[in-house]
Amino acid sequence: AYFFCLIYLFLGISINADIFMESIEVITSAEKDVKIVDKEGRVFVTQVPIWNPTIANLTLMALGSSAPEILLSVIESLKDLGEPAGVLGPASIVGSGAFNLLVISGISILSVDEPKKINDLGVYATTATFSLFSYAWMYFCLEMSSPEVVDIIEAWLTLLFFFVLVGTAYGMDKWG
């Protein structure tokens, strides 16, 4: 009975994740009409995406793909409020990030017949650098600065680093 209940719950999570990701795709594929006037005064209407693809991938798509890990971390934090933190939160997020960065990238490269070119190397280098920095930052916060405790300043800096990542990646996408 426990096994079937577990399968039922996993199926529900799968369906909800699919609906969530489809919703994000609808949001990020939305376009708006923009009027452009050329040098001769003619007006043209063109459609442009509302969301920048880089920003959409770093925010909405990342949230959608990491929602289970985020929810596990929040549930564990709320369950153990006032007690020492468990290892589930950091371990699931680091494990998921490392799996996505290393295993999925490796399998994707091995699965194609010919090498693929990275079109926007600036954004790729930015996200790869910030990914490696995030592991070093987490190690610094949890082992060196204040072992097994995340101070309020470390938490605010971590949030600030996310906005620095998004801004830097957007800059590399637009001007890099």
Side-chain angles (χ1 to χ4, degrees):
Y2 178 77
F3 176 75
F4 288 114
C5 183
L6 197 61
I7 295 298
Y8 178 76
L9 291 175
F10 280 135
L11 187 60
I13 290 171
S14 172
I15 291 169
N16 285 332
D18 284 344
I19 292 170
F20 187 70
M21 291 303 285
E22 286 175 17
S23 301
I24 289 172
E25 287 178 23
V26 168
I27 290 168
T28 57
S29 65
E31 295 179 335
K32 65 180 178 180
D33 291 337
V34 174
K35 293 180 182 178
I36 300 173
V37 180
D38 66 2
K39 294 178 183 177
E40 298 164 0
R42 291 180 291 186
V43 177
F44 297 96
V45 177
T46 185
Q47 289 190 329
V48 296
I50 294 172
W51 278 86
N52 177 288
T54 299
I55 301 301
N57 283 329
L58 288 174
T59 55
L60 295 176
M61 297 299 270
L63 175 64
S65 66
S66 297
E69 294 89 3
I70 294 168
L71 288 175
L72 279 174
S73 298
V74 169
I75 289 169
E76 182 188 38
S77 296
L78 293 176
K79 180 180 70 92
D80 298 335
L81 209 53
E83 298 176 19
V87 297
L88 181 62
S92 65
I93 291 174
V94 169
S96 172
F99 185 84
N100 290 341
L101 180 65
L102 304 172
V103 176
I104 292 177
S105 297
I107 289 173
S108 298
I109 291 168
L110 290 174
S111 298
V112 296
D113 295 334
E114 62 211 39
K116 298 291 182 184
K117 181 182 178 203
I118 298 172
N119 289 330
D120 199 344
L121 196 57
V123 172
Y124 176 78
T126 300
T127 55
T129 302
F130 270 85
S131 293
L132 296 175
F133 170 75
S134 67
Y135 293 124
W137 175 249
M138 183 178 264
Y139 178 77
F140 173 79
C141 290
L142 295 176
E143 294 294 328
M144 297 175 72
S145 171
S146 52
E148 298 186 23
V149 174
V150 178
D151 294 334
I152 192 74
I153 292 174
E154 294 168 342
W156 280 109
L157 281 173
T158 302
L159 184 63
L160 175 70
F161 291 150
F162 172 73
F163 291 107
V164 171
L165 161 65
V166 172
T168 305
Y170 179 76
M172 293 301 273
D173 185 39
K174 285 292 186 188
W175 305 288

